[in-house]
């Protein structure tokens, strides 16, 4: 910003592109993000990305406006910085507006992106959105502040929803510090606008602990299941009236040892509306025909409205244990403004009381650990 670079001079291009050698070589960073690539000559951007890739195994992200699935290939990068992810989520948070195309872009992936690592998404805001700089009209503040403040249930519930969706969807999810604790206000380098560490001091206050527990659970789900980072994503079900979309994540191949065969299938149910269904009045999700006698059974592995995260008891399906598919339909409890993820399992159903006891013990242990 200020005076532009003299990109027509070879010595200037060499000086600028050599900075990646410092970051990736001397400092051994995992990758680089090229800011405002659209403000530079494309040939120069490619020069930088090519130089970065000479450092083996490094990841290169480009910020480019307009964004699109073509950008990484044209500029020699691995991924595109996805501006639209936050705008889309914010536009669907106050109430369901009937835009299923937008919901599908968030829950699965925008058109043109064909790889699980082809874009970086920040559904709850990046530094550009959360920061506060003079003259910048798009500096909107932390997620909670945009929806009434951290004291508003909807502000906290929507954070849980969209981070759960991000963890279960295509793309690389990113969260800006303070979002996980439902921090209010804007971020900046001044002391009054920096990360509010008081929310997690001495074990943390209730909303901060719930938010951190949600983020931890979503991140652990993502790292444990290859279908979320290497698998395909396909839409199984759309409900335009209620704002519900169901995505199948599937990975079939071998595990990291190169020998063990894997065939993992997850069902991601996203409810952006205020409708709600419990176990007695379950919602039927069309998951297609059973995959065989040993399949057709599912177990919940994540619920953004779990009581441990700030939701309520019985909001999901954990207490039901293994759920049997009924024809093409899977009867589910679906909480409002929430996402539930189920894993297809084989073998006999487990005792629901045993499953509930295990879940309660795990939640109690996690909360206790946060309080230390």
């Amino acid at each position: 910003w200020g005076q532009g670079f003299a990109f027509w001079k070879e010595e200037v291009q060499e000086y600028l592109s050599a900075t990646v050698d410092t970051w990736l070589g001397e400092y051994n960073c995992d990758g680089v993000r090229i800011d405002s690539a659209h403000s530079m000559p494309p040939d120069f951007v490619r020069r930088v990305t090519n130089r970065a890739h000479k450092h083996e195994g490094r990841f290169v992200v480009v910020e480019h406006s307009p964004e699109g699935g073509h950008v990484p290939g044209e500029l020699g990068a691995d991924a595109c910085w996805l501006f639209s992810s936050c705008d889309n989520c914010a536009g669907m948070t106050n109430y369901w507006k009937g835009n299923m195309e937008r919901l599908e872009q968030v829950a699965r992936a925008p058109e043109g992106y064909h790889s699980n690592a082809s874009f970086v998404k920040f559904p709850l805001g990046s530094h550009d959105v959360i920061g506060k700089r003079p003259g910048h009209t798009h500096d909107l503040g932390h997620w909670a502040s945009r929806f009434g403040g951290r004291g508003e249930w909807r502000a906290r519930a929507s954070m849980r929803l969209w981070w759960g969706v991000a963890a279960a969807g295509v793309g690389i999810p990113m969260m800006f510090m303070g979002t996980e604790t439902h921090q209010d206000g804007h971020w900046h380098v001044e002391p009054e606008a920096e990360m509010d560490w008081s929310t997690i001091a001495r074990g943390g206050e209730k909303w901060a602990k719930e938010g951190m527990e949600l983020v931890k659970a979503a991140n652990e789900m993502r790292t444990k299941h290859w279908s979320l980072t290497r698998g395909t994503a396909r839409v199984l079900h759309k409900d335009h009236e209620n704002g519900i979309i169901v995505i199948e994540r599937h990975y079939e191949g071998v595990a990291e040892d190169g020998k063990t065969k894997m065939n993992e299938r997850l069902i991601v149910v996203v409810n952006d509306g205020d409708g709600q269904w419990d176990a007695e009045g379950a919602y039927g999700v069309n998951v297609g025909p059973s995959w065989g006698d040993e399949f057709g059974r599912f177990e919940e592995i994540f619920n953004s409205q779990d009581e441990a995260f700030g939701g309520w008891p019985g909001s999901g399906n954990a207490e039901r244990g293994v759920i049997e598919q009924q024809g093409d339909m899977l009867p589910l409890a679906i909480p409002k403004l929430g996402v539930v993820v189920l894993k297809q399992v084989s073998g006999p159903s487990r005792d629901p009381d045993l499953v509930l006891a295990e879940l309660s013990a795990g939640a109690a242990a996690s909360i206790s650990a946060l309080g230390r």
Side-chain angles (χ1 to χ4, degrees):
W1 312 162
Q3 295 297 315
F5 291 110
F7 286 114
W8 61 90
K9 293 185 177 182
E10 166 61 23
E11 57 267 36
V12 171
Q13 289 205 19
E14 173 60 21
Y15 174 79
L16 294 172
S17 61
T19 59
V20 300
D21 294 335
T22 301
W23 293 115
L24 303 181
E26 185 175 346
Y27 293 125
N28 198 30
C29 293
D30 294 329
V32 293
R33 172 186 177 272
I34 301 176
D35 190 67
S36 192
H38 49 273
S39 302
M40 309 177 216
D43 287 345
F44 171 70
V45 177
R46 283 190 287 271
R47 177 172 180 165
V48 176
T49 58
N50 290 338
R51 190 157 182 164
H53 281 131
K54 290 180 180 178
H55 298 267
E56 186 178 355
R58 301 308 199 271
F59 197 77
V60 182
V61 183
V62 290
E63 179 194 44
H64 189 277
S65 180
E67 64 190 33
H70 64 285
V71 171
E74 290 181 0
L75 296 178
D78 298 296
C80 181
W81 187 256
L82 200 66
F83 290 99
S84 59
S85 58
C86 182
D87 291 340
N88 283 336
C89 292
M92 294 186 291
T93 291
N94 282 323
Y95 59 93
W96 170 241
K97 300 178 178 68
N99 193 333
M100 183 57 68
E101 181 180 357
R102 174 181 267 189
L103 184 59
E104 183 175 345
Q105 288 181 8
V106 171
R108 192 179 63 87
E111 287 295 325
Y113 295 93
H114 306 295
S115 162
N116 277 290
S118 59
F119 59 93
V120 176
K121 55 188 179 181
F122 39 95
L124 302 164
S126 70
H127 61 286
D128 283 325
V129 178
I130 295 171
K132 184 66 174 177
R133 294 162 294 176
H136 283 247
T137 58
H138 61 281
D139 295 350
L140 302 172
H142 281 285
W143 183 265
S145 289
R146 299 178 64 181
F147 298 97
R150 69 196 309 268
E152 288 292 326
W153 180 88
R154 195 173 195 89
R156 302 192 305 275
S158 60
M159 184 282 271
R160 299 194 293 266
L161 164 66
W162 297 126
W163 189 250
V165 172
V170 176
I172 302 172
M174 188 203 80
M175 175 177 282
F176 193 83
M177 60 183 182
T179 307
E180 73 278 26
T181 61
H182 304 293
Q183 184 164 328
D184 274 325
H186 286 79
W187 169 85
H188 207 266
V189 294
E190 285 90 7
E192 65 271 14
E194 62 187 14
M195 173 73 185
D196 184 3
W197 297 106
S198 67
T199 59
I200 60 175
R202 296 179 298 280
E205 56 86 55
K206 182 177 185 294
W207 292 333
K209 287 197 291 187
E210 291 171 346
M212 290 190 293
E213 189 71 10
L214 175 280
V215 171
K216 176 185 175 185
N219 293 351
E220 287 180 343
M221 171 184 68
R222 180 175 177 82
T223 56
K224 287 179 182 177
H225 296 94
W226 279 30
S227 57
L228 299 182
T229 54
R230 297 167 174 83
T232 58
R234 163 173 92 97
V235 177
L236 295 180
H237 178 98
K238 294 180 182 180
D239 182 342
H240 292 260
E241 180 180 352
N242 291 300
I244 294 174
I245 190 168
V246 180
I247 309 292
E248 174 194 80
R249 302 302 314 270
H250 178 229
Y251 174 79
E252 186 171 9
V254 293
E256 206 159 8
D257 60 11
K259 299 176 182 179
T260 307
K261 291 184 178 180
M262 295 178 63
N263 188 11
E264 182 182 81
R265 185 191 189 200
L266 302 186
I267 304 297
V268 182
V269 183
V270 181
N271 180 12
D272 183 43
D274 288 298
Q276 191 168 299
W277 295 264
D278 57 24
E280 284 72 33
Y283 182 101
V285 171
N286 190 334
V287 295
S290 171
W291 285 16
D293 293 340
E294 287 298 309
F295 298 97
R297 303 181 182 93
F298 295 83
E299 193 169 25
E300 184 178 276
I301 61 172
F302 180 81
N303 169 21
S304 67
Q305 295 289 30
D306 189 280
E307 185 179 14
F309 309 147
W312 60 95
S315 58
N317 304 274
E319 295 88 344
R320 300 169 65 193
V322 174
I323 304 167
E324 298 278 350
Q325 187 174 329
Q326 299 175 4
D328 290 353
M329 306 302 287
L330 186 65
L332 296 175
I334 303 178
K336 64 181 180 180
L337 208 65
V339 54
V340 294
V341 182
L342 299 103
K343 183 175 183 178
Q344 182 171 271
V345 296
S346 60
S349 300
R350 297 177 62 200
D351 182 351
D353 291 336
L354 178 60
V355 173
L356 180 59
E358 292 175 355
L359 289 166
S360 298
S366 296
I367 292 173
S368 175
L370 281 171
R372 293 192 186 109

